[in-house]
């Protein structure tokens, strides 16, 4: 007697999360069998050498193959002009997207119009995988009409300071933002910086997280020629809900004791603070930087800090003098990042004793 067996065909799985890297034409559409209504997270990494037609077909298939997609990230060398229409069509209101991350210069009017209609979109992020993508003016529009982006709370983007200032001056969805991450390739003069920060603070009063990168990639003729002070960033003090502030600039920030107390009165919820700890001009500014003794003021004024990063003056060595009456101290474990700072005077033991006296728990110290 004979036996028979049935062979079940092998079918692709239906993942809920998928990361797909395409480097050749024949791999672009190979993803299609894996896309299904169960897919909620998709990251596409598309090399610029793939077929534009296949890339467009892949984007058009998202709406009907992955209708329940919630998180979408696109990394690509391709210029936005080659896929602008297809991408705008796929990012339509039929999708349930909550987060979208796009490359630099992908904020065209067509794409923003589609994104603005997504009722559930909470985060418009930036993908920095291909950070040297050619500049495309059409992709820097970044205009948020009133009535759009109704659920947006997080915005990450790369643009010029002038266009970013205009964005925050317009009434609209920016007023509801809780987190902003902004990067620009130029270190602007203090006056332009202060104008931008004023627009940001007035336009986004609910901010809890603010990440700003003004570190330049090339030498600027109109760049400032000295360190920052609290007055240069004073508009940020009106952001009373801040929990995290990270600020990168070509020059260090110099703080006084009175500045720390002023920050403590404005930022009562602050837990993370990073101020210009990796300045590009550190070697040229021998006497720049905040005295490391400022940490004692921080430990009393803002004892709940969990992370602090500053550029410290390299010549001032604190003296360790035990003070039994000292009632300050960082409450939780503190991570202290000294960035490009040189150990003041090269006296590691003195610094160690000084820091240990300020922390109720052992601090973690890192240098980049």
């Amino acid at each position: 007697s004979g036996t028979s067996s049935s062979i079940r065909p092998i079918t692709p799985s239906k993942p809920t999360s998928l990361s797909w890297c395409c480097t050749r034409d024949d791999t672009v559409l190979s993803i299609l069998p894996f896309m299904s209504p169960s897919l909620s997270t998709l990251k596409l990494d598309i090399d610029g050498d793939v077929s534009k037609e296949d890339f467009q077909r892949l984007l058009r298939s998202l709406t009907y193959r992955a209708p329940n997609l919630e998180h979408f990230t696109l990394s690509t060398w391709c210029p936005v002009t080659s896929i602008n229409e297809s991408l705008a069509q796929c990012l339509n209101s039929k999708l349930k997207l909550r987060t979208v991350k796009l490359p630099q210069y992908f904020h065209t009017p067509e794409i923003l119009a589609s994104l603005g209609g997504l009722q559930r979109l909470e985060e418009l992020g930036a993908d920095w995988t291909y950070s040297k993508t050619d500049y495309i003016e059409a992709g820097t529009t970044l205009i948020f009409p009133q009535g759009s982006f109704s659920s947006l709370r997080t915005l990450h983007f790369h643009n010029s300071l002038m266009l970013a200032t205009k964005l925050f001056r317009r009434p609209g969805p920016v007023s509801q933002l809780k987190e902003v991450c902004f990067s620009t390739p130029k270190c602007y003069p203090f006056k332009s910086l202060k104008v931008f920060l004023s627009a940001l603070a007035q336009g986004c009063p609910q901010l809890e997280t603010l990440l700003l990168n003004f570190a330049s990639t090339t030498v600027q003729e109109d760049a400032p020629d000295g360190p920052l002070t609290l007055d240069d960033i004073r508009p940020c003090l009106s952001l009373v809900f801040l929990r995290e502030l990270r600020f990168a600039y070509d020059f260090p920030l110099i703080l006084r004791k009175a500045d720390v107390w002023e920050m403590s009165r404005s930022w009562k919820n602050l837990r993370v603070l990073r101020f210009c700890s990796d300045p590009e001009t550190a070697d040229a500014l021998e006497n720049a930087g905040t005295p490391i003794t400022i940490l004692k003021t921080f430990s009393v004024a803002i004892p709940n800090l969990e992370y602090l990063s500053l550029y410290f003056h390299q010549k001032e060595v604190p003296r360790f003098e035990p003070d039994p009456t000292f009632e300050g101290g960082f409450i939780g474990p503190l991570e202290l990042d000294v960035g490009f700072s040189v150990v003041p005077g090269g006296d590691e033991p003195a610094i160690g004793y000084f820091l240990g006296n300020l922390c109720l728990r052992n601090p973690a110290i890192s240098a980049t």
Side-chain angles (χ1 to χ4, degrees):
S1 63
T3 60
S4 64
S5 62
S6 60
I7 300 177
R8 299 180 63 184
I10 298 176
T11 58
S13 63
K14 292 179 170 53
T16 58
S17 179
L18 185 59
S19 180
W20 197 266
C21 181
C22 306
T23 57
R24 305 183 310 275
D25 288 354
D26 58 357
T27 63
V28 176
L29 298 181
S30 301
I31 189 179
L32 294 180
F34 296 92
M35 295 171 61
S36 71
S38 64
L39 190 65
S40 64
T41 301
L42 175 61
K43 185 182 188 307
L44 293 177
D45 189 338
I46 310 293
D47 192 287
D49 295 330
V50 302
S51 162
K52 181 176 72 173
E53 290 73 21
D54 284 351
F55 196 171
Q56 292 174 341
R57 180 183 171 189
L58 172 59
L59 292 173
R60 287 194 294 266
S61 69
L62 285 179
T63 301
Y64 63 89
R65 285 185 176 268
N68 297 312
L69 196 64
E70 294 184 351
H71 310 283
F72 176 60
T73 299
L74 175 63
S75 304
T76 183
W77 283 109
C78 294
V80 68
T81 49
S82 65
I83 57 169
N84 184 47
E85 183 178 349
S86 300
L87 184 58
Q89 289 176 355
C90 94
L91 298 173
N92 59 54
S93 57
K94 295 180 181 179
L95 293 177
K96 302 175 181 179
L97 288 168
R98 292 170 50 201
T99 66
V100 173
K101 296 182 180 180
L102 300 175
Q104 300 179 67
Y105 316 129
F106 266 58
H107 296 138
T108 66
E110 295 80 11
I111 291 175
L112 287 176
S114 294
L115 290 170
L118 297 173
Q119 297 299 312
R120 301 185 182 185
L121 187 66
E122 300 171 1
E123 176 181 345
L124 177 55
D127 178 80
W128 311 106
T129 304
Y130 302 107
S131 59
K132 294 183 179 179
T133 304
D134 291 339
Y135 174 79
I136 299 175
E137 185 175 0
T140 63
T141 307
L142 210 62
I143 295 177
F144 295 168
Q146 285 187 302
S148 64
F149 294 95
S150 58
S151 299
L152 192 67
R153 297 296 180 270
T154 299
L155 175 64
H156 292 198
F157 69 109
H158 177 95
N159 215 315
S160 73
L161 199 69
M162 180 182 67
L163 291 177
T165 301
K166 289 182 178 179
L167 169 68
F168 293 123
R169 281 177 171 170
R170 294 189 186 100
V174 295
S175 63
Q176 65 201 19
L177 291 175
K178 300 290 187 180
E179 176 176 325
V180 165
C181 174
F182 171 65
S183 174
T184 187
K186 181 179 178 181
C187 182
Y188 289 85
F190 296 154
K191 182 178 180 181
S192 300
L193 176 64
K194 201 166 186 177
V195 170
F196 163 77
L197 293 176
S198 295
L200 172 68
Q202 293 175 18
C204 310
Q206 305 298 318
L207 280 184
E208 298 176 2
T209 300
L210 179 57
L211 317 172
L212 299 173
N213 183 10
F214 298 100
S216 63
T217 55
T218 58
V219 177
Q220 304 293 332
E221 294 182 357
D222 58 347
D225 58 359
L228 284 163
T229 66
L230 186 64
D231 284 339
D232 297 314
I233 60 167
R234 185 165 297 280
C236 292
L237 292 175
S238 65
L239 298 171
V240 297
F241 299 107
L242 272 187
R243 294 182 59 85
E244 178 176 358
L245 175 59
R246 297 176 186 260
F247 195 104
Y249 201 71
D250 281 0
F251 291 82
L253 173 77
I254 296 181
L255 292 175
R256 303 167 303 163
K257 292 180 180 180
D259 298 332
V260 178
W261 283 107
E262 189 171 0
M263 290 190 295
S264 71
R265 290 190 291 270
S266 297
W267 301 330
K268 299 183 182 301
N269 299 318
L270 192 67
R271 296 294 181 271
V272 175
L273 181 63
R274 183 184 181 92
F275 264 142
C276 316
S277 54
D278 305 327
E280 293 294 327
T281 55
D283 293 338
L285 296 173
E286 183 178 347
N287 296 316
T290 295
I292 199 168
T293 50
I294 200 74
L295 292 176
K296 187 171 184 178
T297 306
F298 269 107
S299 73
V300 179
I302 317 179
N304 290 315
L305 272 180
E306 300 169 1
Y307 175 87
L308 175 61
S309 184
L310 297 171
Y311 181 76
F312 294 108
H313 195 289
Q314 63 178 315
K315 290 188 174 180
E316 180 181 341
V317 183
R319 296 176 59 187
F320 174 64
E321 298 178 355
D323 183 1
T325 64
F326 178 62
E327 298 181 353
F330 295 106
I331 295 175
L334 171 71
E335 180 179 355
L336 176 64
D337 186 346
V338 300
F340 288 168
S341 306
V342 178
V343 174
D347 195 339
E348 292 91 347
I351 301 298
Y353 285 125
F354 172 72
L355 293 177
N357 193 47
L358 301 181
C359 298
L360 301 182
R361 298 188 185 182
N362 293 333
I365 304 173
S366 64
T368 53

